[in-house]
Amino acid sequence: MKTRIWAARSIATVSGVVLAGALLAPSAVAHSGPDPKGPGKHTSGKKTPAKKTPAKQAPAKPVVDGAQQGQVAGRKCVTSRDVASAVVDYSGSGLFETVFRSATDEQGHAFLNDSRNPGVWINLALVPGAPKCVYDTALAVTEEDPGHLYITLLASNGTLHQATCTSTGSSPFSPANLATACAPGFTELADTPV
């Protein structure tokens, strides 16, 4: 009986040691499958010298200075998408519940939508002074009629550009009237911390 107890303890100890070794072994040692780049079973088993290939690196996010605004080494601007919105919530205004939305696409173009003109997205490049490569947008609106819509764009070079557009309850923004409503256009905000 003592022999069986000793054998059971020995098996438990060996199993614990093997399990601990498997858990502590480096992943290269633990890999037990065939090398996908190694010779297959049908080859003669001759080893060929390994080819040295340069390591691939993820492309860095483009850094753009003011002179190259919108282009990086001959390539077009590439950004992430962004969305912002502002709503008039003063019930005494003819603009009550009007929602203004701005968005950017992956090529750095910025667009504006007026909820009174559904489905129409106006390219903000129509407004003079708009940066060519936009990373981010922000909107603010006043509550009166006529009110003011403040559009702020973050350019790829880190500067902020702002336009003040006059909005009335009678006519929504459109491609035909946006440049006039936002006259004189976008101006760079002084001393943007970049």
Side-chain angles (χ1 to χ4, degrees):
M1 190 68 156
K2 290 182 180 182
T3 306
R4 288 184 185 161
I5 293 173
W6 181 84
R9 285 184 187 166
S10 296
I11 291 174
T13 304
V14 169
S15 297
V17 170
V18 170
L19 179 60
L23 294 173
L24 297 175
S27 60
V29 175
H31 177 71
S32 63
D35 184 7
K37 294 181 182 177
K41 290 183 181 180
H42 63 280
T43 63
S44 62
K46 294 181 184 176
K47 291 187 179 181
T48 57
K51 294 180 183 178
K52 292 186 178 182
T53 57
K56 293 183 181 181
Q57 294 179 342
K61 192 167 189 172
V63 176
V64 182
D65 63 17
Q68 295 178 322
Q69 191 173 17
Q71 292 196 357
V72 179
R75 295 186 325 227
K76 293 187 179 193
C77 170
V78 178
T79 67
S80 60
R81 297 179 196 175
D82 179 64
V83 177
S85 63
V87 64
V88 179
D89 62 358
Y90 174 54
S91 62
S93 170
L95 295 166
F96 181 60
E97 293 187 338
T98 300
V99 180
F100 299 102
R101 297 174 186 92
S102 63
T104 60
D105 64 11
E106 291 177 335
Q107 290 81 38
H109 304 115
F111 301 92
L112 177 71
N113 171 257
D114 182 334
S115 65
R116 300 169 295 168
N117 200 355
V120 176
W121 287 86
I122 308 160
N123 190 341
L124 289 173
L126 295 172
V127 179
K132 292 182 173 116
C133 184
V134 179
Y135 275 23
D136 200 358
T137 64
L139 298 175
V141 65
T142 60
E143 304 293 319
E144 296 297 321
D145 186 1
H148 292 98
L149 174 66
Y150 298 93
I151 305 171
T152 306
L153 303 177
L154 174 63
S156 61
N157 65 356
T159 59
L160 293 173
H161 299 259
Q162 185 174 18
T164 304
C165 309
T166 303
S167 59
T168 63
S170 59
S171 61
F173 291 127
S174 70
N177 69 11
L178 186 65
T180 304
C182 299
F186 283 97
T187 57
E188 187 175 323
L189 296 177
D191 301 322
T192 303
V194 291

